[in-house]
Amino acid sequence: MKSNNRVNPPRRLADMIYEELFHQVPFNVAVIDRNYNVVEANKNFTEYFGNWKNKKCYAVYKKLKKPCKDCPSVEVFKKGKPIVADAVGVDQHGRKTHYVGHVFPLRIKEGGRVEYALEMTHIVTETDRWQQEYQILFDRVPCYITVIGEDYRIVRANEAFRNNFGEVLGQHCYKVYKRRTTKCPNCPAAKTFRDGRVHHSTQLGMGKRGQDINYAVSTSPLMRGSDNIAHVIEISNDITALRKLEHQVIEAERLGAVGQTVAGLAHSIKNILMGMEGGKYIVSLGLNKNDKEMISEGWEILERNFEKTTSLVKDFLSFSKGRLPQLKMIKPGFLAKEIVDLYKDIAAQSGIELKSEIDKNVKSAPLDPDGIHTCLTNLVSNAIDACLMGKQKGTEVIIKVSEGRDKLIFEVSDNGSGIDYEIKKKIFTTFFTTKGGEGTGLGLLTTRKIVQEHGGKILVDSQIGSGARFRMEFPRKRLMALYKEMK
Amino acid sequence: MRPKVLIIDDEADVIKYLTVVLKSNGFLPYSINSVKDAKAVVEKINPDLICLDIMMPEETGISFYAKLKRDKILKSIPVIIISGVVQAGEFDFRSYLSDSSMPPPEHFLEKPINVEEFIGTINKLIKSGNSSKSGGNA
């Protein structure tokens, strides 16, 4: 008895385990005999497919009246080996369902024929839907998506990407994106592989027809748990059209400036001609009247205006020098300090304090040092003149350098005479000067030209009597794009 | 009595030129090189016509023109704008006037001037100004 007692409990335990496993296993389990009868099924199966007793498997799984053409159990009965198959069935509520079935052969005698098929089905309807959604999203989202491995080979690419770059699986991303034979410098994916973080950058690639494609890319790590990053997902937006538009705007601004420059030149010449006409008229009148004093006066006017012509031509030639900005990575604050050092003594002699205020956060930027030097010199020189014109005490000129939203900002402000509204409107559009015979009016136009060549713009803010503030703004993205183009 | 013409221009050479032209054509020229205090000068001289430049330091000819035309007495003085900019083409004078009801200047001359046209215009404007004044008094 004792020995029997020792043997029985394990057997009962095994039964209990089997029973529990059979019903609790997260699959729909059913046993089918060779005549398609469902002879046993677990709770999950019953809850999902409904009553199965005295029913054929095809009636339970698919609500059919005759066996399925591709019945996996028949295959198992025939070959005696387990198989895995996908199928579409109908649940007990009549809803279409996708499932994956693992079918195993059951034999009564070892080595005998297969008497039953054990079918374990896993419902994948939701997973299948998610997969479809994901696939649609992956392919149809209006941006390029690629998944690249540690060897920089593309393992997946979405439809948008394939349409523009061709069939690319297995190829190196740098070859596909840029027709390069080596990795790109500053590769954002390499950074993500290194630090596991998301990185962003803008790049210039080449499409399958050899066309330029500008894209803004972000790279994210793909990893399971704390494993190493095996893949990086690259999501890029095609910004080619945007870039073209940006170039068109800059070009339009440049052409506009050319037109205004010509108009401005004509204006300056007309003023000089007026002086010459005047001189000629007075000389001629003096000759008629035999008035030596008048002749001398007229001659002086003629001479003065000849000098003005020479000076205008020189300035114009220097202005029209068609040179691209020679960009160098420099500290913008350094340029401001340089100008202050150069002109502070001259300013001080007129009782004007010239100083700089440089924001600590200002980073290095690709600028043409000579060009920006000219701009700051022009603005500071104008500001000093405005202070002198205002004839106020305690006047100052400040050069500020700061970082705006994605842009580098230089500001030259003074508390001098300020600029009348009408002047403000004309200030950059003609060879406008408020300095009478002293200036040629090219300073601000030259400044604007240099600023525009850097992809920036210049703004003026002033009220009469309360000083003026000239602000040069350089979008960092444009500076970097120019810098890359120049390289 | 010779008609009085006030020249307002910051260019000394222009003032000299116009002064000589006006004098030799029977006018009595006055000149100032900025519009600062120009209103007081106009009130004092009471010119028959004003020759006005646009671009001048401190205050432009446009703002002075607006002041003049807002004055009940001085607004009847005819104004010739003499400037290096081409009106309507690159410079639309009226667009700079904040008050759209303000009349445009009586005449606009481009630098360099044609002396005959200049004198002819002045004579015509002063004549019509006088006749409208006398008409108004009648």
Side-chain angles (χ1 to χ4, degrees), chain A residues 356-374:
Chain A
S356 62
E357 287 177 11
I358 295 142
D359 189 337
K360 280 180 199 162
N361 300 319
V362 173
K363 292 171 223 139
S364 294
L367 297 167
D368 179 348
D370 292 342
I372 302 300
H373 189 281
T374 304

Side-chain angles (χ1 to χ4, degrees), chain A residues 273-284:
Chain A
L273 278 177
M274 177 81 167
M276 287 182 167
E277 287 282 350
K280 193 180 80 179
Y281 184 89
I282 294 165
V283 168
S284 168

Side-chain angles (χ1 to χ4, degrees), chain A residues 25 37 41 64 94 112 114 116 134 151 261 271 281 296 314 339 354 376 442 457:
Chain A
V25 72
N37 296 307
L64 294 174
V114 179
Y116 300 100
Y134 159 75
D151 55 359
T261 304
N271 271 330
Y281 184 89
S296 165
K314 270 187 193 165
I339 299 293
L354 175 63
L376 289 174
L442 273 166
K457 61 179 176 183

Side-chain angles (χ1 to χ4, degrees), chain A residues 172-189:
Chain A
H172 285 116
C173 54
Y174 44 81
K175 191 186 171 202
V176 175
Y177 274 112
K178 301 191 179 186
R179 307 282 192 276
R180 288 176 63 93
T181 51
T182 54
K183 278 197 288 178
C184 313
N186 296 319
C187 168

Side-chain angles (χ1 to χ4, degrees), chain B residues 40 42 54 58:
Chain B
V42 172
I54 295 176
E58 296 182 60

Side-chain angles (χ1 to χ4, degrees), chain A residues 263-264 266-267 269-271 273-275 277-279 281-282 285 289 294 297 300-301 304-305 308 389 391 417-423 425-426 429-430 432-437 464, chain B residues 9-14 16-18 20-22 24-25 36 53-63 82-86 90-92 95-98 110-113 115 119:
Chain A
H267 175 243
I269 292 171
K270 280 190 282 187
N271 271 330
L273 278 177
M274 177 81 167
E277 287 282 350
Y281 184 89
I282 294 165
L285 203 65
K289 291 184 178 176
M294 194 174 254
E297 264 180 1
E300 271 176 33
I301 294 176
R304 209 163 27 241
N305 284 284
K308 275 188 192 173
M389 215 184 270
K391 296 178 183 100
S417 63
I419 301 165
D420 197 350
Y421 176 71
E422 290 88 15
I423 299 182
K425 276 189 162 182
K426 292 295 288 181
T429 58
T430 63
F432 169 72
T433 177
T434 60
K435 299 175 188 173
I464 199 117
Chain B
D9 200 306
D10 62 311
E11 290 271 348
D13 291 347
V14 173
K16 182 73 194 168
Y17 178 24
L18 296 183
V20 172
V21 169
L22 288 167
S24 57
N25 282 279
K36 210 177 172 186
D53 185 21
I54 295 176
M55 301 302 183
M56 281 178 285
E58 296 182 60
E59 197 181 336
T60 64
I62 298 167
S63 58
I82 301 178
S83 171
V85 291
V86 182
E90 68 193 70
F91 187 84
D92 179 8
S95 69
Y96 288 88
L97 296 171
S98 47
E110 200 181 320
K111 287 179 183 174
I113 54 154
V115 173
I119 295 300

Side-chain angles (χ1 to χ4, degrees), chain A residues 177-248:
Chain A
Y177 274 112
K178 301 191 179 186
R179 307 282 192 276
R180 288 176 63 93
T181 51
T182 54
K183 278 197 288 178
C184 313
N186 296 319
C187 168
K191 288 180 189 167
T192 299
F193 274 125
R194 225 169 19 242
D195 62 15
R197 294 183 175 184
V198 175
H199 288 277
H200 307 276
S201 78
T202 53
Q203 305 276 335
L204 177 66
M206 196 189 278
K208 63 181 174 186
R209 291 182 302 279
Q211 78 276 26
D212 279 354
I213 296 182
N214 293 96
Y215 56 95
V217 58
S218 78
T219 52
S220 311
L222 269 180
M223 53 178 150
R224 286 172 186 268
S226 57
D227 285 358
N228 283 344
I229 303 155
H231 296 96
V232 161
I233 184 159
E234 290 195 338
I235 303 174
S236 329
N237 267 311
D238 191 333
I239 53 166
T240 312
L242 200 70
R243 270 289 144 81
K244 272 186 190 160
L245 207 64
E246 211 172 73
H247 276 292
Q248 279 169 7

Side-chain angles (χ1 to χ4, degrees), chain A residues 386-420:
Chain A
C387 289
L388 291 174
M389 215 184 270
K391 296 178 183 100
Q392 294 159 357
K393 279 184 181 172
T395 46
E396 57 180 19
V397 174
I398 305 169
I399 310 176
K400 277 187 195 166
V401 188
S402 61
E403 284 289 338
R405 204 173 164 187
D406 298 327
K407 54 188 156 194
L408 170 67
I409 298 165
F410 286 92
E411 264 180 20
V412 176
S413 57
D414 67 77
N415 55 358
S417 63
I419 301 165
D420 197 350

